[in-house]
Amino acid sequence: GIQVEQSPPDLILQEGANSTLRCNFSDSVNNLQWFHQNPWGQLINLFYIPSGTKQNGRLSATTVATERYSLLYISSSQTTDSGVYFCAVEAGAQKLVFGQGTRLTINP
Amino acid sequence: DTEVTQTPKHLVMGMTNKKSLKCEQHMGHRAMYWYKQKAKKPPELMFVYSYEKLSINESVPSRFSPECPNSSLLNLHLHALQPEDSALYLCASSYNYLDTQYFGPGTRLTVL
């Protein structure tokens, strides 16, 4: 099956900093979604982005499908951005496969 | 209404108990999902219902039994669980299968 690798596994930043999270995948994908899981366990869908670039406020994402990676950019980080960021992909197996996540901690 | 609700928030049960988890959405979504998430791990798909029919069962043990009474409701019936089944159980929905998924807050299950 498809392999999904996220990096870095952990990231600690000060409030106001910018960050880039990466998701590499081992095969062509039909579907790629980014999620944020807050410290209480709630998963929020950030982007549905199998290819191209999207922006939503301080967050943006780019997927380069031909090179099999996606990037999530967070600008001007806030403490509420803390949590785990998951990339999930679908590559013909008819289900989303989640990466192991990047744990982001934003300190005030 | 862009919300998926789950009840209960927390559940503690013994290995001989029978309990049910409930999930509800009123977004007109036609696909609903159950995921299991262990601590510090990503969510793992258990079941998918599409148009109220079970379309994916990820080889989940029979002590977990899903039910979709109508297009807005999804249940997960639990019976004779093991301590290793303790986890966060997440429900999600999407307009069509594999569209943008919206997650509920989850049920934290502890099996004693």
Side-chain angles (χ1 to χ4, degrees):
Chain A
I2 191 168
Q3 304 298 311
V4 183
E5 294 184 3
Q6 292 188 241
S7 60
D10 293 280
L11 187 57
I12 301 174
L13 298 171
Q14 291 298 121
E15 203 167 20
N18 301 328
S19 57
T20 301
L21 282 57
R22 187 176 181 102
C23 172
N24 291 336
F25 38 93
S26 60
D27 204 348
S28 300
V29 299
N30 303 313
N31 185 332
L32 189 148
Q33 301 184 34
W34 281 99
F35 296 89
H36 172 222
Q37 187 165 37
N38 68 22
W40 298 270
Q42 175 74 61
L43 270 157
I44 302 294
N45 192 295
L46 301 175
F47 294 104
Y48 177 102
I49 186 168
S51 64
T53 297
K54 290 186 177 180
Q55 180 158 4
N56 184 2
R58 295 182 296 104
L59 274 60
S60 64
T62 295
T63 297
V64 184
T66 53
E67 298 188 21
R68 299 182 184 172
Y69 73 88
S70 183
L71 301 174
L72 178 68
Y73 304 96
I74 305 173
S75 64
S76 304
S77 298
Q78 300 175 357
T79 55
T80 51
D81 295 330
S82 295
V84 181
Y85 289 80
F86 290 106
C87 161
V89 304
E90 188 273 324
Q94 292 296 301
K95 68 175 185 179
L96 281 182
V97 176
F98 283 72
Q100 292 298 309
T102 291
R103 183 171 299 275
L104 177 64
T105 302
I106 305 297
N107 291 321
Chain B
D1 186 359
T2 58
E3 190 179 24
V4 177
T5 60
Q6 289 187 244
T7 55
K9 286 186 171 53
H10 301 274
L11 179 62
V12 179
M13 60 186 291
M15 290 190 284
T16 58
N17 292 157
K18 286 184 180 181
K19 296 287 185 183
S20 296
L21 309 184
K22 296 184 185 303
C23 174
E24 190 167 5
Q25 58 87 15
H26 294 289
M27 294 179 277
H29 289 177
R30 301 180 284 198
M32 297 185 77
Y33 313 75
W34 280 116
Y35 286 87
K36 173 182 178 180
Q37 186 178 24
K38 301 284 277 185
K40 298 190 185 300
K41 295 291 187 182
E44 294 180 350
L45 184 66
M46 300 175 72
F47 303 104
V48 180
Y49 274 82
S50 183
Y51 288 90
E52 301 171 46
K53 293 185 179 178
L54 184 64
S55 59
I56 290 186
N57 176 341
E58 286 289 302
S59 302
V60 177
S62 60
R63 56 186 184 268
F64 295 91
S65 175
E67 178 196 21
C68 189
N70 60 55
S71 59
S72 299
L73 291 173
L74 187 65
N75 298 321
L76 187 61
H77 303 296
L78 315 172
H79 173 54
L81 295 192
Q82 304 297 309
E84 59 264 30
D85 297 321
S86 298
L88 179 66
Y89 288 84
L90 293 159
C91 173
S93 71
S94 63
Y95 186 71
N96 285 312
Y97 182 50
L98 292 178
D99 280 353
T100 300
Q101 293 190 17
Y102 295 85
F103 280 80
T107 293
R108 290 195 183 275
L109 174 67
T110 302
V111 182
L112 301 176

